[in-house]
């Protein structure tokens, strides 16, 4: 027998096996043939493996989105990974924002308050960008890679053996069907021999598949360790970011008064009390320079004491309505608290003019 004859016979045998499986599968779907059921333990293992695969894929993909929100960048990284090449390093969003802030601060002038603050904020943003890059690298290595290895390695092997088990099961049931239909003694003996062989092959494949599936528990234990590594990486990242911002806040606090920090809560829906309302003055805490910042604690002092105080205006302010008082930077006005007024506002007085003024625009004087 030459090689060509052998190949032809093998192809014919494979075609016959495929046709037999197709007929058996179709008859099972139509309810015209019996189906050998897997034992409950094996079915549970198969279900557990499928569930693990589905959720591992979802967690892996969403983690990738979390670490790299830019879909184009993810596609680029995927292509480079498939080409087994290192993706070019790209500047991330915090680093880019930081560079813009530094460039703007340099142009405005490092000696100016705004320029100096921009430079400090930019440097902090770049540090956050570096921490972000480290988080991505650590998470990819310790969390994403093990998950991907399971999907592309272990589960592919399980799927291959599971498909082979399905084929062996179809061969077994087809042999059972032929045995039932066999009438002649010689045909029946041949069918019984075929049934014994297919049963043995099915049992062997079921055992192989079961052993592979029982490894899912070990996979869960491994993924648990990887998850712990991911949590630790996130914890380190957020702790770094918190410390960077805390340091930045302290730097800005040393350079600027505290009332520079927030000036966006200027609108209040509380009605303006009448001029005959009770007046509560202030005696806020003083600093070594003789100035008092209109912080919430100082405002409490202002409300608890009698009399009025002088305050320097830090920025220009245009009154939003007739209940407010317009301000000019560097002018000195008289301020006092009124019962029922929102904590972010004081009553200001300039000559015969009177109206509400935002405390974030003021610097209380001794």
């Amino acid at each position: 027998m030459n090689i060509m004859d052998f190949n032809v016979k093998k192809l014919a045998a494979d075609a016959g096996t495929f046709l037999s499986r197709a007929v058996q599968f179709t008859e099972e779907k139509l309810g015209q043939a019996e189906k050998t059921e897997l034992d409950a333990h094996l079915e549970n293992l198969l279900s557990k493996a499928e569930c693990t695969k589905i959720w591992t894929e979802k967690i892996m993909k969403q983690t990738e989105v979390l670490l790299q929100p830019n879909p184009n960048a993810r596609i680029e990284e995927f292509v480079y990974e498939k080409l087994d090449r290192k993706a070019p390093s790209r500047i991330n969003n915090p680093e880019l924002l930081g560079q813009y802030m530094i460039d703007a601060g340099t142009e405005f002038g490092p000696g100016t308050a705004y320029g100096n603050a921009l430079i400090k904020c930019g440097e902090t943003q770049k540090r956050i960008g570096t921490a972000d890059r480290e988080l991505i690298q650590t998470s990819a290595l310790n969390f994403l890679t093990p998950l991907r290895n399971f999907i592309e390695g272990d589960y592919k092997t399980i799927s291959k053996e599971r498909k082979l088990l399905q084929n062996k099961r179809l061969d077994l049931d087809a042999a059972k069907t032929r045995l039932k239909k066999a009438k002649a003694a010689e045909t029946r003996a041949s069918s019984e021999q075929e049934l014994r062989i297919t049963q043995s092959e099915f049992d062997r494949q079921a055992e192989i598949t079961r052993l592979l599936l029982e490894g899912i528990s070990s996979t869960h234990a491994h993924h648990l360790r990887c998850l712990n590594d991911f949590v630790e990486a996130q914890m380190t990242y957020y702790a770094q970011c918190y410390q960077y911002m805390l340091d930045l806040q302290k730097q800005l606090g040393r350079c600027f008064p505290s009332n520079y920090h927030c000036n966006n809560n200027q609108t209040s829906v509380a009605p303006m009390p009448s001029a005959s309302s009770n007046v509560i003055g202030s005696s806020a805490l003083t600093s070594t320079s003789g100035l008092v910042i209109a912080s919430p604690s100082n405002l409490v002092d202002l409300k608890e004491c009698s009399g009025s105080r002088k305050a320097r205006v830090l920025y220009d302010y245009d009154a939003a309505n007739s209940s407010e008082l317009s301000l000019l930077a560097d002018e000195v006005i008289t301020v006092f608290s009124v019962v029922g007024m929102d904590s972010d506002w004081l009553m200001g007085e300039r000559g015969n003019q009177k109206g509400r003024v935002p405390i974030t625009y003021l610097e209380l004087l001794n």
Side-chain angles (χ1 to χ4, degrees):
M1 182 186 298
N2 57 36
I3 296 177
M4 183 173 293
D5 291 338
F6 175 79
N7 289 337
V8 170
K9 288 185 177 181
K10 185 175 185 303
L11 288 174
D14 290 343
T17 301
F18 176 80
L19 180 61
S20 174
R21 290 170 180 170
V23 170
Q24 177 65 27
F25 182 80
T26 302
E27 290 180 348
E28 288 175 0
K29 290 298 182 182
L30 296 175
Q32 298 174 355
E34 296 182 359
K35 175 182 177 180
T36 299
E37 299 293 341
L38 302 177
D39 65 81
H41 178 60
L42 187 55
E43 287 284 7
N44 289 335
L45 290 175
L46 287 168
S47 177
K48 184 178 181 180
E50 182 66 18
C51 183
T52 300
K53 179 252 186 184
I54 291 173
W55 285 111
T56 299
E57 283 184 331
K58 289 183 177 181
I59 292 171
M60 182 177 68
K61 290 178 180 178
Q62 192 56 40
T63 303
E64 291 173 344
V65 172
L66 173 69
L67 297 176
Q68 177 51 271
N70 187 340
N72 294 329
R74 290 201 303 274
I75 292 174
E76 181 184 50
E77 291 171 359
F78 175 79
V79 171
Y80 274 99
E81 181 181 347
K82 290 303 179 182
L83 295 175
D84 197 22
R85 294 175 57 187
K86 184 177 180 181
S89 179
R90 65 169 68 241
I91 187 169
N92 58 31
N93 290 331
E95 290 172 333
L96 184 59
L97 174 60
Q99 191 59 54
Y100 284 166
M101 286 182 167
I102 291 174
D103 293 344
T106 301
E107 186 166 345
F108 294 151
T112 65
Y114 186 40
N116 188 23
L118 278 172
I119 291 174
K120 291 181 183 299
C121 290
E123 291 171 347
T124 299
Q125 288 296 331
K126 295 188 80 169
R127 283 196 288 270
I128 290 175
T130 300
D132 187 67
R133 194 182 300 278
E134 292 173 354
L135 171 65
I136 292 174
Q137 293 174 349
T138 302
S139 300
L141 178 64
N142 297 335
F143 186 59
L144 287 177
T145 298
L147 298 187
R148 188 175 292 108
N149 287 342
F150 167 73
I151 296 297
E152 298 179 356
D154 294 349
Y155 191 78
K156 277 191 175 181
T157 302
I158 290 174
S159 297
K160 178 182 176 182
E161 296 300 330
R162 182 178 183 174
K163 184 177 180 180
L164 189 55
L165 176 64
Q166 171 73 353
N167 290 336
K168 295 299 181 182
R169 201 270 306 161
L170 289 171
D171 291 343
L172 173 62
D173 288 336
K176 289 179 179 179
T177 300
R178 282 192 289 272
L179 179 60
K180 287 181 180 180
K181 294 179 179 180
K183 295 181 180 179
E186 183 178 345
T187 304
R188 190 170 183 81
S190 174
S191 297
E192 289 176 348
Q193 176 67 17
E194 181 188 14
L195 178 60
R196 284 192 293 271
I197 294 174
T198 55
Q199 182 70 59
S200 175
E201 291 179 348
F202 170 77
D203 292 341
R204 178 176 177 276
Q205 185 59 39
E207 180 65 15
I208 292 173
T209 306
R210 182 185 65 79
L211 291 174
L212 282 173
L213 292 171
E214 287 178 345
I216 291 294
S217 296
S218 298
T219 299
H220 284 191
H222 178 52
H223 288 182
L224 175 59
R225 291 191 294 271
C226 297
L227 179 62
N228 184 65
D229 291 340
F230 179 54
V231 171
E232 288 186 355
Q234 283 187 304
M235 182 181 66
T236 300
Y237 168 72
Y238 290 118
Q240 285 178 322
C241 291
Y242 173 76
Q243 188 60 51
Y244 293 153
M245 299 311 295
L246 197 62
D247 293 342
L248 174 62
Q249 187 182 46
K250 291 178 181 178
Q251 291 178 34
L252 295 180
R254 287 194 296 268
C255 296
F256 314 107
S258 61
N259 54 352
Y260 274 67
H261 293 171
C262 179
N263 62 356
N264 58 352
N265 295 322
Q266 301 162 7
T267 303
S268 170
V269 296
M272 185 189 76
S274 64
S276 60
S277 300
N278 292 332
V279 176
I280 303 179
S282 68
S283 178
L285 297 176
T286 59
S287 66
T288 54
S289 62
L291 300 178
V292 180
I293 305 306
S295 62
S297 61
N298 291 333
L299 182 60
V300 172
D301 294 335
L302 181 64
K303 290 183 176 181
E304 290 179 348
C305 301
S306 59
S308 59
R309 297 292 299 277
K310 294 293 184 181
R312 178 179 291 112
V313 178
L314 297 171
Y315 323 101
D316 290 346
Y317 177 73
D318 293 326
N321 52 56
S322 59
S323 69
E324 298 177 6
L325 181 65
S326 294
L327 304 173
L328 294 175
D330 294 327
E331 70 172 325
V332 176
I333 63 172
T334 301
V335 294
F336 53 90
S337 177
V338 177
V339 173
M341 182 175 288
D342 186 273
S343 61
D344 290 334
W345 296 78
L346 291 173
M347 185 62 72
E349 196 173 57
R350 182 201 305 114
N352 294 328
Q353 295 179 315
K354 185 183 297 184
R356 296 187 310 159
V357 293
I359 64 171
T360 52
Y361 280 63
L362 303 174
E363 184 177 60
L364 297 180
L365 305 175
N366 279 340

